[in-house]
Amino acid sequence: MKKLFLKIFAVLAVAGVLATSCTNLNRMVSQHSTDTLYLQTPDPMEVSGDVVRINISGSFAPDYFHRRAAMVFQPEIQHEGGTVLLRPVTLRGESVTDVEGMTIPRTGGRFTFSDEVPFTPELADAELVINPVVFPARRARRNAPASAEDALALTNARPLGETPITRGVNTTSQMVDFAAAEPSLGSDNYVAPDNLLQRISVFFPHNSWNLNLNYATNRTEQARAARAAMDEALRTGKEIVSVSITGWASPEGELARNTRLGVERSRVGERFIRNAYRRAVDDMVREHNRNLPRGERRVTARDLTQTFPITVDNKGEDWDGFMAALRASNVRDRDAILRVIETNTDRARREQEMRNMVVVYPELEQVILPPLRRTEIVVEMVVPARTNEEIIALATSNPSELSVEELLFAATLTQDRTVQMQIFVSATQIFPNDWRGFNNIAMLQIQDRNFSGAATNLQRANSLSPNNGHVMNNLGVVALNNEDFDGAKTLFTNARERGNAEAGPNLGKILIKEGDYNGAVAAFGNRPGDLNLALAQILSGDLPGASQTLAAAQASPKAFYLRAIVAARQNNVNGVVSNLRQTSAAFRTQARTDVEFRNFRENADFQNAVR
């Protein structure tokens, strides 16, 4: 009798436990809507880096989660074409040891859930819902169910009811315009020529102003070459702006004598250049009149002779020249000589010290002093630059007459892309070792969407100038078109480090795609009116900055739509309506379901604006 009583008691105890378990699951079901809270961040969901990221934080009130219960939490995204199941996570009560998962104490607790799915267009209006399944933990037999469906198959498992968390996916980040990637031009370094300064010096023996071109210092290769260049320049007939003549003396003599030497040497220099100019004019006359066609007028020296100002000056003793020459020399005891001269501020004493040192150090007289006994002559002549009209004409008719800088400059003088291409092709043919011609052909090809042709020319440019920022940026644009985002990002990053101006904005477009909105804003820099920059500023939360950028943008459907988004995020219904009315029909259709405007869908003015 006693054994029977014990068996009945055991059965009743087990039944009591089961009844208690079922009752507790029913309580979790009935109080699910009041004792739990689930939040999605951000709300609504948004596309970032081509994926939709789901971040749910959940919390349970005290005494809600039974200590022996477990839960499979597996959200799903429901859209018109089907359902996307997210990963399952298991939560368990504080007394559960048979099932792996995160413990929720009886005193209440929190958990977080994260997952991501590739974005597809049908997800734009999708809904994020949850329907957790709770079950007695002992039913799982140590292995947590692999899904909510598996959990529901367990004995006494109960669904907690489908609960919507949020609806819609923010696709604003998808508005980045990769087609606006900017190629780089290899710029010319053309500078219109300045006036020519032709310089010579004629030299004189010690204590003399008699000019003898057979004097040793005048017979050096450098001195003879300078005089020959001056004669050649004078024979060109270029307009002479001015002539300046300066006489000098070496500093070892007396001041009065050296001053006289400087004056007389400058006068000799004036006679020298006047005679050189007369000879040049005579040569030009003979050259012009030689083999002159019958009937043409012969020119005379008077016809070709110019009048120009001549400035004659005397500088006297050249102490600065002496000190500089001595410092640059290998004269014995050079530093001691310098100290003696620098410490003697009295002119007479210093001149005497100089005379003494010339005796002690004969190399001073042989090397340092002779070049100081001179007259300097500077002739400034006009170098006529080609006009822009002449340059562009030659660039298309006879490009070999131009320098590479003139040829590349010519391309900036026209907006005709056919002519620009012709010029750049000529540059590659005439100057095949200059990377810019190949790079610039590629730039035009990129603008024409001929990326395969651009790639070929860029490889040639890169071989001529490896790691060139302009070339790397253009290679990045080609990679971007081929959807090689990682390769493009590396190229743009390296190009920006090398100072390329276009690489930063191009990199910013990729950073928008990757969801690094603050990095994108920094990469763009200050670009008023740039719609991609405005998009990055919107996504980073800098609405004042976006408004400022858009204020400088040209009117376009996309600009108006971005302004409407800024207004929506500022809860400015008038701004939303005004800008949507000015955008295109396609954008107005998009606005009807765009979650950026979900708070305005019941507004009559909004509804009228998007019809």
Side-chain angles (χ1 to χ4, degrees):
M1 186 68 175
K2 186 176 181 180
K3 291 182 178 179
L4 178 60
F5 175 79
L6 292 174
K7 289 181 180 179
I8 293 172
F9 180 80
V11 170
L12 291 174
V14 172
V17 171
L18 291 175
T20 300
S21 175
C22 291
T23 299
N24 285 331
L25 292 185
N26 287 336
R27 182 174 177 273
M28 291 182 72
V29 173
S30 64
Q31 295 185 3
H32 182 245
S33 62
T34 58
D35 287 5
T36 61
L37 179 65
Y38 305 99
L39 297 175
Q40 156 67 21
T41 304
D43 184 9
M45 300 172 286
E46 68 178 24
V47 183
S48 178
D50 285 340
V51 298
V52 180
R53 291 188 171 89
I54 296 88
N55 298 286
I56 300 174
S57 59
S59 62
F60 301 104
D63 296 322
Y64 173 74
F65 212 107
H66 191 270
R67 62 191 181 90
R68 294 188 183 279
M71 174 191 294
V72 173
F73 183 86
Q74 185 175 22
E76 57 187 53
I77 299 176
Q78 298 176 356
H79 57 88
E80 187 174 343
T83 298
V84 178
L85 290 175
L86 303 178
R87 69 181 183 91
V89 296
T90 301
L91 309 175
R92 64 183 184 178
E94 62 184 11
S95 297
V96 175
T97 59
D98 294 342
V99 175
E100 295 295 326
M102 177 181 176
T103 300
I104 305 296
R106 288 292 298 271
T107 56
R110 298 175 181 273
F111 77 99
T112 58
F113 171 89
S114 62
D115 200 1
E116 62 183 40
V117 296
F119 174 74
T120 54
E122 60 266 20
L123 297 183
D125 195 36
E127 187 171 39
L128 176 64
V129 299
I130 61 169
N131 188 4
V133 176
V134 293
F135 56 93
R138 62 188 178 84
R139 296 293 186 182
R141 297 182 181 179
R142 302 192 64 84
N143 294 320
S147 66
E149 183 180 3
D150 291 344
L152 198 58
L154 296 174
T155 303
N156 295 327
R158 300 289 301 278
L160 294 179
E162 186 171 284
T163 302
I165 303 300
T166 186
R167 185 179 188 88
V169 175
N170 191 317
T171 60
T172 301
S173 65
Q174 299 297 291
M175 295 180 68
V176 61
D177 183 9
F178 289 113
E182 302 174 35
S184 298
L185 173 73
S187 301
D188 65 89
N189 297 312
Y190 173 74
V191 178
D194 293 328
N195 286 351
L196 171 68
L197 296 179
Q198 197 72 40
R199 304 172 185 270
I200 62 167
S201 292
V202 290
F203 302 94
F204 301 86
H206 176 242
N207 206 26
S208 170
W209 57 78
N210 292 323
L211 179 60
N212 179 3
L213 294 181
N214 288 320
Y215 173 58
T217 314
N218 284 324
R219 286 190 289 106
T220 65
E221 182 178 350
Q222 182 179 2
R224 291 200 309 270
R227 292 196 302 274
M230 174 69 78
D231 291 340
E232 181 63 29
L234 293 175
R235 283 195 295 270
T236 63
K238 289 184 174 71
E239 178 185 352
I240 298 175
V241 178
S242 65
V243 176
S244 63
I245 301 168
T246 306
W248 294 90
S250 57
E252 79 280 11
E254 295 180 354
L255 176 61
R257 179 61 178 175
N258 284 339
T259 301
R260 174 75 186 280
L261 285 170
V263 170
E264 296 300 335
R265 286 169 179 172
S266 63
R267 290 173 178 169
V268 172
E270 180 181 3
R271 289 195 297 272
F272 174 84
I273 195 63
R274 287 188 183 279
N275 290 334
Y277 180 63
R278 278 194 292 270
R279 290 194 301 273
V281 170
D282 291 342
D283 289 343
M284 289 188 289
V285 169
R286 283 192 294 272
E287 182 64 27
H288 182 273
N289 292 336
R290 182 183 295 122
N291 301 321
L292 195 66
R294 179 175 296 179
E296 281 201 20
R297 177 179 173 274
R298 296 172 64 86
V299 299
T300 65
R302 178 177 294 182
D303 295 325
L304 300 183
T305 300
Q306 304 176 42
T307 57
F308 44 83
I310 297 181
T311 302
V312 181
D313 193 13
N314 158 48
K315 294 294 185 181
E317 297 176 342
D318 189 3
W319 280 104
D320 290 340
F322 172 78
M323 298 293 282
L326 185 57
R327 289 190 184 96
S329 73
N330 294 318
V331 172
R332 176 170 52 93
D333 296 335
R334 177 191 62 190
D335 294 337
I337 298 172
L338 287 170
R339 281 195 299 272
V340 169
I341 296 173
E342 289 170 342
T343 56
N344 278 285
T345 56
D346 180 75
R347 179 184 293 273
R349 179 64 183 273
R350 186 168 57 180
E351 290 173 351
Q352 183 59 49
E353 291 290 351
M354 273 289 300
R355 286 190 287 273
N356 295 338
M357 285 186 291
V358 168
V359 175
V360 177
Y361 302 100
E363 56 263 53
L364 293 179
E365 176 60 39
Q366 297 167 1
V367 177
I368 303 298
L369 296 176
L372 304 181
R373 302 160 182 155
R374 72 198 187 280
T375 293
E376 292 179 347
I377 302 172
V378 179
V379 179
E380 182 179 2
M381 310 177 77
V382 174
V383 178
R386 291 186 175 99
T387 66
N388 289 354
E389 292 75 16
E390 290 172 334
I391 290 175
I392 190 65
L394 285 171
T396 54
S397 63
N398 194 7
S400 61
E401 289 292 313
L402 300 176
S403 68
V404 64
E405 304 303 341
E406 289 174 316
L407 190 55
L408 295 175
F409 171 67
T412 69
L413 301 176
T414 178
Q415 298 300 315
D416 189 325
R417 292 166 56 80
T418 302
V419 174
Q420 289 176 339
M421 180 63 81
Q422 177 186 349
I423 290 172
F424 293 144
V425 169
S426 296
T428 63
Q429 295 169 345
I430 302 169
F431 305 101
N433 294 322
D434 194 303
W435 64 272
R436 291 172 294 179
F438 298 97
N439 178 83
N440 295 354
I441 290 174
M443 182 198 72
L444 294 179
Q445 291 173 322
I446 288 172
Q447 293 172 346
D448 291 337
R449 316 297 293 173
N450 178 9
F451 293 100
S452 60
T456 300
N457 281 293
L458 288 172
Q459 292 302 328
R460 179 66 184 277
N462 190 53
S463 68
L464 293 170
S465 182
N467 299 318
N468 182 294
H470 296 76
V471 179
M472 296 177 79
N473 175 71
N474 290 343
L475 286 168
V477 176
V478 173
L480 190 62
N481 176 76
N482 294 331
E483 298 187 354
D484 177 10
F485 295 105
D486 291 339
K489 182 179 181 181
T490 299
L491 287 163
F492 291 146
T493 300
N494 291 337
R496 184 172 68 158
E497 290 174 353
R498 287 161 175 78
N500 180 265
E502 292 79 21
N506 290 339
L507 176 62
K509 299 172 181 64
I510 294 180
L511 295 178
I512 291 176
K513 171 183 167 55
E514 293 180 345
D516 182 4
Y517 305 132
N518 289 325
V521 171
F524 278 108
N526 183 26
R527 292 171 63 87
D530 189 301
L531 298 186
N532 280 311
L533 170 59
L535 176 63
Q537 290 169 320
I538 291 171
L539 295 169
S540 69
D542 181 12
L543 299 181
S547 296
Q548 185 175 356
T549 300
L550 290 169
Q554 293 183 348
S556 69
K558 185 174 181 178
F560 286 121
Y561 197 77
L562 290 175
R563 289 170 183 165
I565 291 175
V566 171
R569 294 194 177 199
Q570 294 172 331
N571 200 31
N572 177 5
V573 65
N574 291 331
V576 170
V577 171
S578 172
N579 284 290
L580 288 179
R581 282 175 176 162
Q582 297 179 79
T583 193
S584 64
F587 274 120
R588 286 194 292 271
T589 300
Q590 179 178 326
R592 296 171 193 167
T593 56
D594 192 335
V595 295
E596 292 280 6
F597 307 108
R598 65 176 179 173
N599 294 335
F600 304 94
R601 287 174 182 167
E602 303 304 319
N603 182 284
D605 290 335
F606 173 83
Q607 293 172 355
N608 290 330
V610 298
R611 285 180 179 174

